[in-house]
């Protein structure tokens, strides 16, 4: 008879009727069983874990610290910017307001060069992890470093990124504060000795808190942590993240103000009843275009990050080359249009687009291309900063340029430069980062206009689809791929949990009575120990011997040993209709290797057994649920 399983067939038992009712079954201890059959069971590692309530309290502390860190980080950026561009000592700086030409004139091109050299020194000397846009390092720490980030990274990242942004590098401030919040959460968890799972939870809570405090978008911060960082979504991870983001948002609103990141005019779209073909076509085209733009952003960033280290000279020389090109671009744009446009976070350009002050399609398209080059060059040559703000900038300029260019072709599309800019921002952020839900919710929080949700959903979905068709990696994971560190993009594949025990259980088992020898049990059908053995006495279940327990070899050397000597001390019984989540919980609680599956019965007996649930079939169910 073949040993392969047929999950659709009826349970099949191999019964061994030899019994010795006078001999009581004995259960061996872990040490004795290991000595007899060479068990490879290892004791569970002890890790310090705290209750969910305590973990939420710790997340509250992380949220407050990150909120204060976000405020201090913005002030530090303002200090560097005012020194570099205005020649004054002040932390007052509103990135949403255009300042015009620098009083330093053309000498302002030296600002990003000098700032870049300082950043290279800080990164090389103190924290190599602070180089780049931050989020890949956070993801790497979660999946490959057990959630461990050095506490010094928070300080160096804050200083290096503030210098990069303030001196003119075309990078954002969200990536740094994400890494800063993550470093605070990880360092705090390491200090008190938390387990890996809870350390990763606090790390992710700090990251979500950082982005929530920066944009004043608490829901967006929560979704960012859940969708992009956390390997698991459950109450034990969700609640601490919510607490941390809420605390950070509150601190930000108190110290910075309650207003969202951008002042957005009312955006009105037609209701569904009057929805027309031109509107649908406009949203679709903008989504497709944004997906291609996100792909171009990812590919160009890879080219720059791989290309600059190949240039002659050391990192300082490479940085001078890259930052000189940024400074030269700033000077040329200032002479041509009265503003440098591409430096820093670029919020002033986004705000002008939203205020309908910048509507020329040619200028918008030019700024899109120049910002794309400036950001990738900045990160390629060693700047420290994020890609979230540049993604918003690219989306706003692309969307507004698309609206201006197609207004005569699609006059009834309902798109204005500001509404198209909002849709473009969400589309490029969602497609580039892979945070589709994060992008949709954050744009809603920034606009406070529910009417824009439908166009945003359409554009983001299409953009993400196009980007994924062109390149499978996101702008966060592509950097780690070159290290050989693959980050799973579908991390919440738990659909196997909707299966019941009867769906995956082993249906071929051996039933052996107390007093049966190993040789008799193993010789039932001339098989080895690949099948589980249920030991019974007068119809009552005595215990279970999981498959592959090493008993076949033992039966050859000690054929007189009885099967009851090898039954599991911690026996788990579940019903055939129990969900796998319940079975998993019981297996973990009892530290058992398998579970006996019975039909619903209050006092199950051998005749009620329908199968055995083993770790092998559980692994098969998990693997089968994965889609590449």
């Amino acid at each position: 008879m073949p040993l392969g399983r047929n999950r659709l067939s009826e349970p099949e038992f191999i019964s061994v009727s030899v019994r010795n009712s006078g001999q009581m079954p004995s259960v061996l201890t872990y040490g004795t069983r290991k000595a007899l059959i060479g068990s490879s069971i290892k004791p569970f590692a002890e890790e310090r874990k705290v209750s969910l309530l305590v973990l939420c309290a710790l997340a509250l502390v992380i949220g407050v610290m990150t909120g204060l860190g976000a405020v201090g980080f913005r002030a530090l950026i303002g200090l560097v910017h005012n020194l570099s561009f205005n020649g004054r000592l002040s932390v007052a700086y509103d990135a949403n307001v255009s300042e015009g030409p620098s009083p330093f004139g053309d000498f302002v091109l030296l600002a990003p060069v000098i700032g870049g050299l300082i950043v290279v020194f800080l990164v090389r000397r103190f924290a190599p992890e602070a180089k780049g846009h931050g989020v890949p390092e956070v993801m790497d720490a979660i999946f490959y470093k057990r959630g461990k980030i050095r506490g010094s990274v928070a300080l160096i990242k804050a200083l290096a990124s503030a210098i990069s942004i303030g001196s003119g590098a075309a990078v954002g401030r969200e990536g740094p504060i994400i890494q800063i919040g993550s470093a605070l959460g990880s360092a705090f968890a390491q200090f008190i000795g938390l387990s890996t799972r809870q350390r990763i939870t606090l790390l992710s809570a700090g990251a979500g808190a950082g982005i929530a405090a920066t944009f004043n978008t608490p829901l967006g911060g929560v979704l960012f942590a859940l969708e992009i960082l956390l390997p698991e979504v459950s109450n034990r991870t969700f609640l601490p993240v919510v607490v941390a983001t809420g605390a950070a948002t509150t601190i930000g609103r108190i110290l910075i103000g309650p207003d969202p990141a951008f002042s957005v005019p009312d955006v009105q779209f037609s209701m569904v009843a009057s929805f027309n073909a031109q509107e649908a076509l406009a949203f679709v085209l903008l989504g497709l275009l944004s997906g291609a733009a996100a792909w171009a952003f990812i590919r160009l960033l890879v080219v720059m990050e791989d290309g600059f280290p190949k240039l002659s000279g050391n990192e300082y020389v490479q940085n001078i080359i890259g930052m000189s090109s940024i400074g030269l671009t700033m000077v040329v744009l200032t002479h041509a249009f009265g503003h440098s446009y591409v430096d820093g976070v670029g919020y002033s350009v986004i705000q002008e687009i939203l205020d309908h002050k910048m509507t020329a399609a040619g200028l918008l398209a030019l700024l899109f291309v120049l910002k794309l080059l400036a950001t990738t060059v900045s990160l390629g040559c060693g700047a420290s900063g994020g890609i979230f703000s540049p993604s918003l900038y690219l989306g706003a300029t692309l969307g507004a340029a698309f609206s201006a260019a197609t207004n005569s072709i699609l006059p009834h599309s309902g798109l204005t430069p500001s509404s198209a800019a909002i849709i473009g921002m969400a589309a490029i952020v969602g497609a580039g980062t892979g945070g589709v839900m994060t992008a949709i919710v954050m744009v809603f929080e920034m606009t406070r206009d529910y009417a824009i949700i439908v166009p945003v959903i359409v554009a983001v979905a299409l953009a993400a689809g196009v980007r994924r068709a062109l390149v499978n990696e996101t702008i966060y994971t592509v950097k780690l791929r070159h290290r050989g560190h693959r980050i799973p993009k579908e991390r919440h594949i738990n659909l196997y949990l909707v299966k019941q025990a009867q769906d995956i259980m082993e249906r071929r088992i051996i039933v052996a009575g107390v007093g049966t020898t190993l040789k008799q049990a193993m010789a039932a059908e001339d098989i080895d120990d690949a099948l589980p053995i249920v030991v019974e006495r007068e119809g009552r279940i005595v215990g279970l011997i999981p498959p592959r327990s090493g008993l076949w070899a033992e039966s050859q050397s000690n054929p007189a040993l009885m099967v009851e000597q090898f039954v599991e001390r911690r026996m788990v019984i579940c019903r055939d209709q129990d969900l796998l989540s319940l079975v998993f919980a019981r297996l973990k609680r009892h530290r058992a290797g398998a579970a006996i599956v019975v039909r619903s019965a209050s006092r199950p007996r051998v005749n009620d057994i329908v199968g055995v649930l083993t770790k092998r079939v559980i692994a098969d169910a998990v693997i089968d649920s994965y889609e590449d």
Side-chain angles (χ1 to χ4, degrees):
M1 183 176 295
L3 295 180
R5 297 193 317 277
N6 182 357
R7 295 182 182 177
L8 299 180
S9 64
E10 289 298 316
E12 180 180 348
F13 300 141
I14 302 172
S15 298
V16 180
S17 60
V18 179
R19 300 181 184 178
N20 180 0
S21 57
Q23 184 175 355
M24 296 296 293
S26 75
V27 180
L28 302 186
T29 63
Y30 166 77
T32 306
R33 184 165 70 251
K34 181 176 181 181
L36 280 174
I37 63 176
S39 171
S40 60
I41 300 174
K42 296 180 181 180
F44 282 68
E46 294 294 332
E47 289 187 318
R48 180 179 182 182
K49 298 179 181 178
V50 296
S51 66
L52 182 58
L53 182 61
V54 174
L55 191 64
C56 288
L58 296 175
L60 178 65
V61 176
I62 297 300
V64 172
M65 293 169 59
T66 304
L68 294 173
V71 174
F73 181 56
R74 291 175 64 150
L76 189 57
I77 292 174
L79 177 63
V80 176
H81 173 82
N82 286 322
L83 286 172
S84 301
F85 287 87
N86 301 319
R88 56 188 175 89
L89 189 65
S90 173
V91 298
Y93 171 53
D94 187 351
N96 291 44
V97 177
S98 177
E99 293 182 330
S102 168
F104 294 137
D106 292 350
F107 288 104
V108 76
L109 69 84
L110 296 176
V113 176
I114 297 173
L117 293 175
I118 298 174
V119 169
V120 171
F121 170 76
L122 292 173
V123 169
R124 290 187 61 178
R125 179 66 177 83
F126 300 106
E129 308 97 310
K131 181 181 179 180
H133 47 105
V135 177
E137 303 301 331
V138 175
M139 299 174 77
D140 198 40
I142 290 174
F143 288 94
Y144 288 94
K145 299 178 181 178
R146 300 172 60 86
K148 294 183 178 180
I149 302 177
R150 295 186 298 146
S152 60
V153 172
L155 178 62
I156 300 303
K157 185 67 177 182
L159 185 58
S161 296
I163 294 173
S164 285
I165 298 169
S167 63
V171 290
R173 66 189 182 200
E174 293 73 32
I177 193 58
I178 289 171
Q179 192 172 9
I180 292 167
S182 299
L184 290 174
S186 176
F188 191 61
Q190 290 179 70
F191 179 75
I192 59 180
L194 289 184
S195 66
T196 299
R197 175 176 61 80
Q198 293 188 333
R199 184 164 59 243
I200 290 174
T201 299
L202 287 186
L203 180 155
S204 302
I211 201 167
T214 298
F215 277 119
N216 192 13
T217 53
L219 291 178
V222 170
L223 283 177
F224 180 87
L226 298 181
E227 190 176 15
I228 296 179
L229 298 180
L230 278 171
E232 172 194 331
V233 177
S234 63
N235 282 340
R236 62 186 184 182
T237 58
F238 177 77
L239 293 178
V241 171
V242 170
V243 171
T245 54
T249 303
T250 302
I251 295 296
R253 288 177 176 178
I254 292 173
L255 300 179
I256 300 174
D259 296 328
F262 303 107
S263 176
V264 181
D266 292 336
V267 179
Q268 295 296 332
F269 286 100
S270 304
M271 300 304 292
V272 175
S274 59
F275 195 75
N276 62 67
Q278 288 193 16
E279 290 183 6
L281 181 60
F283 303 153
V284 169
L285 290 177
L286 182 53
L288 297 175
L289 187 61
S290 298
W295 166 79
F297 192 13
I298 294 171
R299 296 306 305 166
L300 191 56
L301 181 59
V302 171
V303 169
M304 295 298 181
E305 288 184 333
D306 291 345
F308 268 95
K310 297 177 182 178
L311 297 178
S312 59
N314 57 24
E315 293 182 23
Y316 291 101
V317 174
Q318 296 162 7
N319 189 267
I320 290 174
I321 295 172
M323 286 302 158
S324 295
S325 66
I326 302 297
L328 184 61
T329 302
M330 292 163 49
V331 171
V332 171
L333 287 174
T334 301
H335 281 289
F337 303 103
H339 193 282
S340 56
Y341 286 127
V342 296
D343 59 298
V345 295
Y347 287 175
S348 60
V349 174
I350 299 175
Q351 190 61 60
E352 287 191 5
I353 293 173
L354 296 177
D355 290 338
H356 302 281
K357 295 179 180 179
M358 189 179 295
T359 58
L363 175 60
L364 291 166
L366 175 64
L367 294 183
F368 170 84
V369 173
L370 292 179
K371 186 69 172 182
L372 181 64
L373 291 171
T375 299
T376 53
V377 167
S378 296
L379 293 172
C381 72
S384 177
I387 53 89
F388 209 97
S389 291
S391 296
L392 293 175
Y393 185 110
L394 295 175
T397 52
L398 181 66
F402 174 83
S403 172
T406 60
N407 187 49
S408 59
I409 303 174
L410 301 172
H412 303 293
S413 65
L415 281 181
T416 63
S418 60
S419 63
I422 294 170
I423 297 171
M425 285 193 290
I428 289 188
V429 168
T433 66
V436 174
M437 293 185 293
T438 302
I440 293 171
V441 171
M442 286 188 67
V443 166
F444 172 64
E445 287 187 289
M446 286 190 288
T447 61
R448 316 284 172 90
D449 190 343
Y450 189 77
I452 203 170
I453 285 294
V454 173
V456 164
I457 291 175
V458 172
V460 170
L462 289 171
V466 170
R467 189 274 305 163
R468 184 155 187 171
L470 295 174
V471 56
N472 195 38
E473 300 294 334
T474 70
I475 204 163
Y476 292 146
T477 62
V478 71
K479 182 177 181 179
L480 299 178
R481 181 177 180 178
H482 292 299
R483 303 179 190 174
H485 289 186
R486 298 282 185 144
I487 302 297
K489 286 168 281 297
E490 287 82 17
R491 295 188 298 279
H492 315 302
I493 304 173
N494 297 327
L495 287 179
Y496 59 86
L497 294 180
V498 304
K499 292 185 177 181
Q500 299 173 350
Q502 62 184 346
D503 296 330
I504 68 170
M505 65 186 182
E506 296 266 14
R507 295 175 179 272
R508 298 190 70 241
I509 64 176
I510 298 173
V511 178
V514 170
T516 304
T517 66
L518 285 181
K519 185 174 181 61
Q520 291 167 331
M522 294 291 109
E525 284 200 1
D526 193 24
I527 60 174
D528 57 18
D529 58 354
L531 296 182
I533 301 176
V534 175
V535 181
E536 58 91 19
R537 177 197 294 274
E538 298 179 353
R540 291 182 289 107
I541 301 171
V542 174
L544 172 70
I545 303 175
R548 295 174 176 80
S549 301
L551 294 186
W552 186 85
E554 190 69 26
S555 69
Q556 304 302 306
S557 58
N558 296 289
L561 289 176
M562 304 297 176
V563 291
E564 60 265 25
Q565 292 180 280
F566 297 93
V567 295
E568 288 282 354
R569 175 185 290 272
R570 301 178 178 88
M571 184 173 59
V572 174
I573 296 178
C574 66
R575 297 180 304 169
D576 55 350
Q577 295 183 351
D578 282 346
L579 293 176
L580 293 188
S581 56
L582 176 61
V583 179
F584 289 0
R586 288 180 181 174
L587 289 172
K588 179 180 179 182
R589 185 164 59 250
H590 295 282
R591 297 182 179 179
I596 299 174
V597 184
V598 300
R599 298 195 193 279
S600 299
S602 56
R603 298 176 66 88
R605 298 176 67 83
V606 170
N607 291 336
D608 297 313
I609 298 175
V610 293
V612 172
L613 199 63
T614 64
K615 290 183 177 180
R616 180 180 66 171
V617 297
I618 292 173
D620 287 344
V622 175
I623 293 171
D624 290 343
S625 70
Y626 183 80
E627 293 182 5
D628 195 357

